[in-house]
Amino acid sequence: MVLPVDISSAIPQGVPVQVEDVRLRATYSQRKRIPITEGFLEVKDGGKWRQICNEEWTEKNSRVICGMYGFPAEKRFNNRSYKLLAKRRKKNYWGFSINCTGNEADLSDCKMGGEIKLKGNRTCELGMPVVVSCVPGRAFAPSVSAGYRKAYRVEQPLVRLRGGALIGEGRVEVLKNGEWGTVCDDNWNTRAATVVCRELGFGSAKEALTGARLGQGIGSVHMNEVECSGFEKSLTECYFNRDALGCNHEEDAAVRCNVPAMGFHNRLRLNGGRNPSEGRVEILAERNGSTVWGTVCSDSWGTMEAMVVCRQLGLGFASNAFQETWYWTGDASADAVVMSGVRCSGTELTLDQCLHHGKHIACPKGGGKFAAGVSCTQMAPDLVLSAQAVEQTTYLEDRPMYALQCAHEEQCLSSSANTADSTSYRRLLRFSSQIHNNGQSDFRPRAAHHSWIWHECHRHYHSMEVFTHYDLLTLNGTKVAEGHKASFCLEDTHCDEGIDKRYACANFGAQGITVGCWDTYRHDIDCQWIDITDVKPGDYIFQVVINPNYEVAESDYSNNIMKCRSRYDGQRIWTYNCLIGGSRSSETEETFPGLLNNQLSHR
């Protein structure tokens, strides 16, 4: 419903604001700034853009407008220059004032105020059109402050988002006693979600999501029944119930925040794909004083780079990164390579924020059919190794070489085994791997059925040749036991209640890990070990990395690594303090607890 402008007292105060659209109209000098943070506020009503009289306008109203546009807060501005501009402009005022409390997520949640008498040029005689000025979050600050931003050391945040496909969305996680945990969705609402969004440098919340809609977290549930006024600086200042009994990770809360219009999607496009979510990557670049479209060199192009492209275009996660795109007919005028040597960490907002060669292009293969391509998806899996399972199942075994022939052929032993006598023993650090899929879609291998490899040791096909790395490192990170690159058959060993198994290795079946299921590789099968025969006694770091080459896209790679402290005395090994990557603020050093439960066994 559109409110007519001349309806006088027909609209009572307290009715929600209803207009067709809202905009910040920047002054001429500000229009080229990205993002636009300041300007005259205008509402569209009856098909026309109209100003609002500032006689009854408040800072709380400005706070709501800033939140809508993706900014965490409002700020003061130079009123004199806007007064001069307003005098010269023809004005067309809206007929009402607006009352916001300041914690609304959108102008439509505010109430209509008093009627403004429209008296032609004499309307709003004591005031002028409303101007709103906003503070951008650090990630979106105009480029002029980039130098200051890089020099400023960011403090450890208390709240973070994980598992979101787009900028400004994700599962809410909070830091307590150095450990990251989740928030239970009991009473979770837009007001609490907006506190999170503003705290992280975004605007107000578009959505407060419940039921682990953006994937399940790990560790503890730190907050339950959160209640916020909306003006807290941090979610940790809100009232909440510390008792999370009855809550589990199926109830993890998440948010989608308003973010500033940065125009990221205008500098990049996908061309030639079967649908808008796939195609050859083409970017806008400066060449000889003009802006042209061109391709990206596919050398070193992988999942991390594709992730940034999909996020920049608002298309979610990457499902595939392509180094050949001859089957997609792109724009022939954009065949030339304009970006090469691209290396992304995966956290960048745009492709040009990644490391790349700059103006000096180096791409031996050239563009055209060898240009980089991507396909994107709205949902992705998220694999997490059970640290508890590893810690509880680690032990040593001395095994004779004659019982390790199959494993030796599959290169599961260190290089010294090549010259070892068949009657000698190898000392093996054994453990179980329990790998959960906490994401939103099934984890499926990239390789098609016909390219899977039969492994005699395990008597089944392996769909991924490098699925995990097992390493023993010194405390300064040097490998002492050659990292075994284990290949896997992926299947659903167990599932949460109510979830059916979909993948099985037997009979050349489909492979993968279903959402809510886990794949267990038991400690007593071949190659489920690190060969430590040549390792000297001492303190070490035992490390397992899942999907180390990012072969399959996931919503969060930070939790793919697990590290344990290990002490080896030459006869026994103690494994303790196993931590998943990203689960702590910083990996705390604990004193060696002196566990005596990992006895050496002979077989």
Side-chain angles (χ1 to χ4, degrees):
M1 171 184 164
V2 174
L3 298 179
V5 181
D6 54 353
I7 54 173
S8 64
S9 59
I11 297 294
Q13 291 188 32
V15 169
V17 173
Q18 293 179 338
V19 290
E20 296 159 33
D21 204 355
V22 186
R23 73 180 181 188
L24 268 186
R25 191 175 179 188
T27 61
Y28 185 76
S29 62
Q30 298 271 341
R31 275 179 200 163
K32 290 189 177 178
R33 286 172 72 94
I34 296 176
I36 290 173
T37 58
E38 186 175 295
F40 288 105
L41 178 68
E42 297 185 340
V43 294
K44 195 176 189 181
D45 193 20
K48 293 181 179 178
W49 287 104
R50 305 173 189 277
Q51 299 83 39
I52 299 173
C53 178
N54 75 345
E55 286 176 6
E56 296 180 35
W57 189 259
T58 65
E59 284 187 0
K60 289 180 178 178
N61 292 0
S62 293
R63 175 181 162 86
V64 172
I65 298 297
C66 290
M68 284 174 60
Y69 282 98
F71 303 114
E74 76 290 349
K75 66 180 177 71
R76 297 182 182 277
F77 56 92
N78 182 355
N79 204 27
R80 190 180 302 168
S81 60
Y82 281 101
K83 267 187 178 174
L84 291 170
L85 272 171
K87 278 182 182 175
R88 284 183 250 151
R89 283 185 174 177
K90 186 179 177 183
K91 290 173 281 294
N92 182 15
Y93 282 105
W94 193 47
F96 299 92
S97 62
I98 293 171
N99 291 331
C100 302
T101 61
N103 56 23
E104 294 88 350
D106 193 272
L107 188 66
S108 60
D109 299 324
C110 297
K111 306 297 185 201
M112 300 284 281
E115 186 189 347
I116 303 290
K117 295 207 181 304
L118 301 174
K119 301 179 286 185
N121 290 338
R122 290 173 48 229
T123 305
C124 197
E125 273 184 305
L126 302 176
M128 58 176 273
V130 164
V131 174
V132 175
S133 182
C134 306
V135 180
R138 290 169 53 80
F140 307 103
S143 54
V144 287
S145 63
Y148 295 102
R149 209 160 67 242
K150 286 175 183 172
Y152 181 74
R153 184 175 176 181
V154 182
E155 291 180 10
Q156 172 73 60
L158 296 174
V159 178
R160 70 183 184 185
L161 301 183
R162 280 287 185 270
L166 304 175
I167 300 163
E169 71 171 36
R171 178 180 59 255
V172 180
E173 297 188 352
V174 292
L175 189 64
K176 178 184 174 185
N177 298 332
E179 181 191 355
W180 287 101
T182 60
V183 177
C184 189
D185 63 9
D186 293 351
N187 299 345
W188 186 248
N189 58 23
T190 309
R191 190 174 287 188
T194 291
V195 171
V196 170
C197 291
R198 290 187 190 271
E199 177 180 1
L200 295 174
F202 305 114
S204 49
K206 283 192 285 192
E207 279 185 277
L209 302 169
T210 57
R213 285 265 303 278
L214 297 184
Q216 295 185 26
I218 58 174
S220 304
V221 178
H222 284 335
M223 299 176 82
N224 183 24
E225 297 173 349
V226 178
E227 286 186 32
C228 304
S229 70
F231 293 98
E232 293 87 352
K233 296 289 184 193
S234 172
L235 186 70
T236 57
E237 295 174 11
C238 299
Y239 291 104
F240 65 94
N241 186 350
R242 295 173 190 274
D243 182 3
L245 284 174
C247 284
N248 57 47
H249 289 301
E250 291 176 8
E251 300 171 83
D252 284 346
V255 296
R256 285 199 176 104
C257 306
N258 286 313
V259 296
M262 302 295 290
F264 290 153
H265 60 286
N266 299 324
R267 311 206 298 263
L268 191 78
R269 69 187 184 191
L270 302 184
N271 222 327
R274 296 162 297 178
N275 59 62
S277 294
E278 69 174 24
R280 183 174 84 170
V281 178
E282 296 177 359
I283 62 169
L284 266 182
E286 293 287 331
R287 284 292 174 271
N288 302 323
S290 60
T291 308
V292 297
W293 286 100
T295 56
V296 179
C297 185
S298 62
D299 285 353
S300 76
W301 187 258
T303 304
M304 284 302 193
E305 290 71 37
M307 280 285 197
V308 175
V309 168
C310 293
R311 187 185 302 119
Q312 183 174 347
L313 290 170
L315 296 174
F317 303 107
S319 53
N320 279 295
F322 300 97
Q323 295 192 340
E324 290 185 24
T325 50
W326 51 268
Y327 37 80
W328 287 331
T329 315
D331 187 338
S333 65
D335 275 355
V337 174
V338 294
M339 182 183 276
S340 64
V342 183
R343 288 286 174 89
C344 303
S345 68
T347 58
E348 295 87 354
L349 301 182
T350 64
L351 197 63
D352 56 15
Q353 288 178 0
C354 300
L355 290 172
H356 59 278
H357 287 154
K359 293 180 181 178
H360 304 289
I361 305 299
C363 189
K365 289 192 294 189
K369 64 181 183 180
F370 292 112
V374 301
S375 61
C376 306
T377 178
Q378 287 298 321
M379 292 188 288
D382 181 20
L383 297 188
V384 183
L385 183 72
S386 168
Q388 186 180 13
V390 172
E391 197 166 317
Q392 291 174 350
T393 58
T394 308
Y395 65 96
L396 291 181
E397 181 197 356
D398 282 354
R399 196 169 179 84
M401 271 299 294
Y402 63 75
L404 292 168
Q405 290 310 304
C406 184
H408 191 199
E409 287 171 18
E410 291 198 15
Q411 299 180 327
C412 296
L413 302 174
S414 60
S415 56
S416 64
N418 297 334
T419 55
D421 185 85
S422 62
T423 58
S424 63
Y425 281 75
R426 307 301 296 179
R427 180 155 290 177
L428 307 175
L429 171 57
R430 284 186 171 274
F431 58 95
S432 293
S433 290
Q434 191 182 99
I435 297 162
H436 296 245
N437 182 359
N438 287 353
Q440 299 169 270
S441 68
D442 295 354
F443 185 95
R444 299 297 310 277
R446 276 183 61 188
H449 257 74
H450 67 269
S451 61
W452 294 356
I453 297 170
W454 175 258
H455 280 253
E456 191 63 33
C457 284
H458 296 161
R459 304 293 300 168
H460 56 220
Y461 285 91
H462 284 187
S463 56
M464 288 182 72
E465 269 313 292
V466 182
F467 180 62
T468 54
H469 282 184
Y470 302 150
D471 291 305
L472 197 66
L473 316 170
T474 63
L475 298 185
N476 66 8
T478 306
K479 287 184 185 179
V480 290
E482 292 177 10
H484 167 48
K485 297 179 179 175
S487 56
F488 270 57
C489 164
L490 303 173
E491 68 176 3
D492 296 328
T493 310
H494 298 284
C495 295
D496 289 333
E497 191 176 343
I499 297 173
D500 295 327
K501 296 179 184 179
R502 298 179 60 186
Y503 304 107
C505 296
N507 303 319
F508 201 34
Q511 293 192 19
I513 307 175
T514 306
V515 175
C517 298
W518 56 95
D519 186 5
T520 301
Y521 253 51
R522 285 173 51 89
H523 56 84
D524 54 2
I525 66 170
D526 267 358
C527 299
Q528 190 60 31
W529 61 56
I530 297 177
D531 182 354
I532 65 164
T533 306
D534 308 316
V535 173
K536 295 175 182 175
D539 288 323
Y540 297 99
I541 294 169
F542 170 32
Q543 178 177 284
V544 178
V545 185
I546 312 168
N547 193 15
N549 300 337
Y550 314 121
E551 193 176 319
V552 177
E554 296 185 49
S555 60
D556 186 0
Y557 286 113
S558 66
N559 56 18
N560 281 29
I561 189 167
M562 185 216 67
K563 291 183 179 181
C564 304
R565 291 295 302 272
S566 290
R567 173 166 288 184
Y568 176 48
D569 69 358
Q571 290 299 315
R572 296 168 298 179
I573 195 158
W574 294 266
T575 303
Y576 62 101
N577 197 21
C578 292
L579 297 175
I580 298 297
S583 64
R584 299 290 174 98
S585 57
S586 58
E587 293 195 6
T588 50
E589 294 292 322
E590 290 186 14
T591 53
F592 180 66
L595 300 174
L596 297 171
N597 57 353
N598 293 327
Q599 301 296 327
L600 185 68
S601 68
H602 289 271
R603 198 175 286 179

